[in-house]
Each structure stands twice: as C-alpha cells, then as structure tokens.
C-alpha cells in the first residue's frame, strides 16, 4: 500500500544554496587568512656605537612592517651593507623576532666594520652630509603556512644627523 501525503512537499533549494555559500565563504576566509605577503623592511638610521684601531661597531635600525593578519616570527635575519658602493659590513640576528599582525616593528642589528671600507663613506659625509647605502640579505620567517625565505633589498640615503649620536 502506497501512502501519499495530503499535499505535495516541495523541495526548496534554499538550504542547499545557503550551505554552498557558507562553505565557499569559509574557504575564502581561510585562504585569505593564510595568504602571505612579504614584510616591508626599511633602514631608518645608522648609529655608530663604538670605534677601535681596526674599525668599529654600529647599529642598523630597521622599520619592519608585517602586512599580514597574523603574527610572523623570524628565525634568522642576514644583512649585507654597502656604503657609497663599497662593502661595509655584514650583520646577523639568529634569535627569534616577533612581528605583530598589520603593524610596524623596530629591529636593531649590530654590525662590525673595518676602516678599509670607511674612506668613500667619510668623503660622502663631508661633501653631502648624507651617505648612500645599499642593503641585501634574507630573512627566514616562520608563518602559519610554513617557513619562508624572503630576500631583502633596499637602498637610499641616510643623513649625517642620524649617523652621529
């Protein structure tokens, strides 16, 4: 015996459409949250911190901007510094740095230098009151989507007042 309902029950596509939209929206949100944008790194100042007979030390102060919606932790930062077209020194930070989401962080790197690389830089300081720098290097980042190696490049001018404290 076949039982038929007293009135037909229409199947509404509404629950199916809502389910599909929720799943695609969740996937898009996850994809956006896990997308990776490289941090922006800019040299803000160079400060001489010590002088000796063979050379000296200085601090490179960087502004690092994390454009991502999540915290990034760097595991290693390597920088090579050229002043006025001559290699001046190398720096390495091998300790973890936390970069807050959508925020600027100040990172200071100590650098050792030798007097052999100072000549062109001093001449530029005396003539122009500023020094041209070029940076290269890499940063290793630990992100929610895995470890990334990001290349660093930058150049510009640093005024004399930021070199002498």
């Amino acid at each position: 015996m076949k039982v038929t309902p007293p009135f037909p029950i229409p199947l509404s596509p509404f629950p199916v459409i809502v389910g599909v939209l929720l799943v695609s929206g969740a996937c898009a949100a996850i994809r956006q949250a896990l997308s990776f944008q490289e941090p922006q790194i800019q040299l803000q100042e160079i400060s001489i911190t010590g002088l000796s007979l063979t050379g000296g030390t200085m601090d490179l102060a960087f502004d690092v901007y994390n454009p991502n919606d999540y915290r990034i932790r760097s595991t290693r930062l390597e920088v090579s510094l050229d002043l006025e077209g001559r290699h001046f020194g190398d720096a390495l930070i091998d300790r973890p740095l936390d970069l807050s989401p959508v925020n600027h962080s100040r990172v200071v790197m100590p650098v050792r230098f030798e007097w052999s690389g100072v000549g062109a830089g001093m001449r530029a300081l005396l003539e122009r009151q500023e020094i041209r720098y070029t940076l290269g290097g890499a940063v290793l980042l630990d992100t929610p989507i895995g470890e990334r190696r990001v290349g660093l490049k930058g150049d510009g001018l640093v005024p004399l007042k930021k070199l002498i404290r």
Side-chain angles (χ1 to χ4, degrees):
M1 171 178 213
K2 186 174 183 186
V3 179
T4 59
F7 51 89
I9 301 174
L11 291 176
S12 171
F14 183 71
V16 175
I17 292 171
V18 169
V20 168
L21 289 175
L22 286 174
V23 168
S24 15
C27 289
I30 290 171
R31 188 172 37 254
Q32 182 180 1
L34 293 181
S35 69
F36 176 75
Q37 297 177 44
E38 292 186 1
Q40 300 160 8
I41 299 175
Q42 182 178 12
L43 181 64
Q44 285 185 319
E45 69 182 65
I46 299 173
S47 301
I48 304 293
T49 56
L51 298 173
S52 70
L53 293 175
T54 59
T57 57
M58 61 185 169
D59 285 342
L60 305 178
F62 294 96
D63 173 52
V64 182
Y65 176 68
N66 176 10
N68 299 288
D69 291 331
Y70 50 85
R71 182 174 301 281
I72 294 177
R73 185 176 169 108
S74 81
T75 56
R76 182 178 179 95
L77 178 60
E78 308 162 351
V79 172
S80 174
L81 175 67
D82 292 351
L83 297 177
E84 294 299 321
R86 294 186 64 186
H87 183 68
F88 201 75
D90 297 304
L92 171 69
I93 294 182
D94 233 355
R95 70 186 190 298
L97 299 170
D98 281 327
L99 304 175
S100 299
V102 193
N103 202 0
H104 290 266
S105 300
R106 183 175 166 93
V107 176
V108 178
M109 292 184 76
V111 177
R112 298 185 76 73
F113 65 88
E114 296 184 8
W115 288 117
S116 61
V118 175
M122 284 303 183
R123 186 171 50 252
L125 284 173
L126 294 173
E127 293 172 2
R128 297 191 320 257
Q129 302 298 305
E130 59 190 3
I131 192 164
R132 180 167 302 285
Y133 72 89
T134 305
L135 294 173
V139 60
L140 293 176
L141 299 171
D142 187 17
T143 73
I145 55 176
E147 189 171 273
R148 298 271 180 131
R149 181 178 178 90
V150 176
L152 300 178
K153 287 185 181 180
D155 60 11
L157 296 171
V158 177
L160 175 63
K161 65 181 178 183
K162 290 189 176 182
L163 276 175
I164 299 173
R165 286 191 167 214

